[in-house]
Amino acid sequence: MPACRWCCTPTSPSAAPPPNSVPPTAASDSPPDGGLTWTLPRAVGAARARQIILTDRVLSADDALNWGILSEIVADEDVETVARANAETIAAGPRSADSGTKRLLAVSSENSLIEQLTIEGRSISERSGLPEGIEGVDAFVGKRAPDFGKTR
């Protein structure tokens, strides 16, 4: 089986993974590295992370998709095109809101629902007066697609 490095990132990965992927752990007599013990439980839950890591569970691409490790599976020849399209979509979006969203997602597991709602409200309030926030509201009210590029 080809070796593969497991990596879970804060963004939604698209990939053309090998048919079966296994984390490089018990088979190499080495504990996980690269933050796998921090990121994997957040992606799939603690029980599944333990099962994957401690048993060297082989995951199919479909399992990885269904368990939230991947956001989509694409054909090998389409990986670059899909990655570029996703990057362009993100780049055209509201940078301030996206940055705030990443921070909110990063702290969500540490907060109660009430705490998270409070932080979300504060984040929305902080951004509502910024050019991107104004453009977003104007576009919503005007029933048109926002043009965040013009606010940069």
Side-chain angles (χ1 to χ4, degrees):
M1 173 177 300
C4 93
R5 163 89 48 201
W6 278 51
C7 179
C8 298
T9 63
T11 56
S12 297
S14 301
N20 295 304
S21 299
V22 61
T25 55
S28 65
D29 192 30
S30 172
D33 63 354
L36 186 64
T37 59
W38 188 89
T39 55
L40 191 59
R42 285 162 174 78
V44 301
R48 283 183 170 164
R50 274 192 303 278
Q51 180 189 37
I52 291 168
I53 294 171
L54 296 176
T55 67
D56 278 344
R57 164 86 187 255
V58 175
L59 287 183
S60 68
D62 287 334
D63 284 342
L65 178 66
N66 292 332
W67 288 13
I69 295 171
L70 298 174
S71 62
E72 63 184 319
I73 300 169
V74 299
D76 287 339
E77 62 272 10
D78 296 332
V79 170
E80 186 175 334
T81 302
V82 170
R84 183 172 303 283
N86 287 340
E88 289 171 357
T89 298
I90 292 168
R95 291 179 184 165
S96 178
D98 288 349
S99 174
T101 299
K102 287 178 185 179
R103 278 194 289 285
L104 288 165
L105 290 169
V107 301
S108 67
S109 65
E110 303 164 11
N111 296 320
S112 69
L113 175 58
I114 297 299
E115 291 167 329
Q116 192 70 13
L117 290 172
T118 300
I119 296 168
E120 285 178 2
R122 199 173 316 133
S123 181
I124 291 167
S125 178
E126 291 169 356
R127 286 168 176 73
S128 65
L130 298 176
E132 287 180 349
I134 294 168
E135 170 59 15
V137 171
D138 287 350
F140 177 78
V141 171
K143 297 182 181 183
R144 61 174 175 80
D147 179 5
F148 297 111
K150 75 177 188 181
T151 65
R152 297 183 183 127

